[in-house]
Amino acid sequence: MLAGIDRVLSWVTWLAAALVVVALFAGPKLIAAEKSADAAPTPAADPGAAVFASSCASCHTLAAAGASGAVGPNLDERKPDAARVTAIVTSGGGSMPAFSGQLSEAEIAAVAEYVAASAGG
């Protein structure tokens, strides 16, 4: 009786090992389908959008960024132009702190262009 169980378990063990080997070789192709060569490339992320998401979205509302902060002004309603955003982000204003020491000039310019373009300013 034990010899029969041992014989069955040895076959099960070999079958399991074979399945593992097949999964190792075929698994990556089954799990991650290869992309077709004619697929459109994804556009590079907007650096202004990245700066807005990390530094502004928690306080400001901007529909294009999916931000609904309630501390600062709603940028969709204010529709600031890039020059206004640059000045406020650089020097601060009202209860908003200055970001000139935290963001580079390039980051400030990028977020200003992003906000102005997104809000229609």
Side-chain angles (χ1 to χ4, degrees):
M1 174 82 167
L2 290 177
I5 293 173
D6 188 40
R7 203 172 315 126
V8 170
L9 288 178
S10 70
W11 279 103
V12 170
T13 303
W14 279 104
L15 181 61
L19 288 174
V20 167
V21 169
V22 169
L24 287 173
F25 286 108
K29 289 195 182 223
L30 294 175
I31 293 171
E34 292 188 30
K35 295 180 182 176
S36 63
D38 60 334
T42 55
D46 184 343
V51 172
F52 187 89
S54 65
S55 300
C56 312
S58 62
C59 295
H60 294 282
T61 295
L62 184 63
S68 59
V71 177
N74 180 329
L75 299 172
D76 293 315
E77 292 174 359
R78 293 268 176 107
K79 300 184 183 326
D81 62 11
R84 176 78 175 140
V85 176
T86 299
I88 294 293
V89 171
T90 302
S91 303
S95 62
M96 181 171 155
F99 281 83
S100 62
Q102 298 172 16
L103 298 175
S104 68
E105 287 183 20
E107 289 172 319
I108 292 172
V111 77
E113 288 298 323
Y114 173 74
V115 169
S118 299

